[in-house]
Amino acid sequence: EIVMTQSPATLSVSPGERATLSCRASQSVISNVAWYQQKPGQAPRLLISGASTRATGIPARFSGSASGTEFTLTISSLQSEDFAVYYCQQYNKWPLTFGGGTRVEIK
Amino acid sequence: EVQLVESGGDLVQPGGSLRLSCAASGFTFSSSWMSWVRQAPGKGLEWVANIRQDGSETYYMDSLKGRFTISRDNARNSLYLQMDSLTAEDTAVYYCARIAFIYQYYMDAWGKGTTVTVSS
């Protein structure tokens, strides 16, 4: 099973600042990584697929990148609605696996 | 508008069974792979199972050991999850999700979830 390790577990950021979230795969997943946002009491929402392609309706301040088995989600200027938990997911190989999540909280 | 509405969650005793349903609308259900994903209280997301458009292929998380069965009824635009021999570790919110594209197994639409509690 491919293990997706997210860091940090919690990120404290002030509104307007940049947030950088990391996700490392235990083996190659090519670019088959998605990112999701989840707010309390809500279902997850797709942000990014293919490591760097924004989903429909996702603001341009969200961007994804990859380098080998390291994947990054960057939020360029945090808005109040961006404080949430973010998950990465690999879909290169069965079983599908998610990272443990990064909570982005207000500093 | 894509809508996925789960139902069937309940309080069930250890060793019991439950069948979850997901009603889909706003898209061509019969053309989409579908998934179940769960989230234990205060925990992260955990993929449970996938099913191909015609039901001919299914995939499960390894640790389920054959206790869960995913199925679908394309005539009713419905997805199901039969859960048997339930344990406390199965306590979670269960989400129904649409797979975005064939062989690209990420989820581009999610239901609000249904809660399963396994307790005596």
Side-chain angles (χ1 to χ4, degrees):
Chain A
E1 161 175 322
I2 297 175
V3 177
M4 304 295 282
T5 303
Q6 289 190 243
S7 61
T10 303
L11 187 61
S12 298
V13 185
S14 300
E17 288 189 342
R18 182 186 196 91
T20 303
L21 289 66
S22 296
C23 176
R24 175 183 294 175
S26 61
Q27 60 183 265
S28 174
V29 293
I30 317 177
S31 60
N32 292 326
V33 169
W35 289 92
Y36 303 87
Q37 176 193 68
Q38 187 179 33
K39 297 179 181 179
Q42 295 186 17
R45 175 175 73 144
L46 175 68
L47 298 176
I48 300 280
S49 63
S52 61
T53 303
R54 276 190 304 278
T56 303
I58 301 303
R61 63 181 181 273
F62 291 91
S63 63
S65 63
S67 176
T69 58
E70 295 274 352
F71 299 86
T72 301
L73 176 69
T74 301
I75 312 171
S76 59
S77 176
L78 271 157
Q79 307 297 303
S80 57
E81 62 266 30
D82 301 334
F83 292 96
V85 180
Y86 293 83
Y87 295 95
C88 60
Q89 178 226 335
Q90 69 80 20
Y91 51 94
N92 192 60
K93 189 182 280 192
W94 303 106
L96 308 181
T97 48
F98 289 89
T102 292
R103 179 180 306 275
V104 177
E105 63 177 28
I106 300 174
K107 188 174 182 180
Chain B
E1 179 193 3
V2 173
Q3 279 205 313
L4 298 167
V5 180
E6 303 91 339
S7 61
D10 204 350
L11 171 63
V12 60
Q13 291 192 338
S17 296
L18 210 55
R19 188 196 197 204
L20 306 183
S21 300
C22 171
S25 61
F27 66 103
T28 306
F29 179 73
S30 59
S31 296
S32 294
W33 280 73
M34 297 295 295
S35 281
W36 287 100
V37 176
R38 70 184 182 182
Q39 186 169 37
K43 302 297 185 183
L45 301 172
E46 183 174 54
W47 171 73
V48 173
N50 270 23
I51 187 167
R52 187 189 168 110
Q53 296 98 320
D54 61 1
S56 62
E57 283 183 62
T58 56
Y59 297 88
Y60 298 92
M61 62 181 289
D62 294 341
S63 61
L64 289 178
K65 297 181 181 176
R67 297 185 299 117
F68 289 12
T69 303
I70 188 172
S71 63
R72 64 192 297 161
D73 184 341
N74 287 342
R76 297 178 183 269
N77 288 340
S78 292
L79 177 72
Y80 305 102
L81 185 68
Q82 176 67 40
M83 304 187 295
D84 298 319
S85 303
L86 286 161
T87 73
E89 287 67 44
D90 297 316
T91 294
V93 175
Y94 284 74
Y95 295 102
C96 164
R98 183 181 74 173
I99 295 295
F101 298 105
I102 185 170
Y103 303 130
Q104 297 289 307
Y105 301 117
Y106 59 90
M107 299 83 175
D108 70 342
W110 298 68
K112 295 184 188 301
T114 188
T115 301
V116 173
T117 303
V118 183
S119 175
S120 55

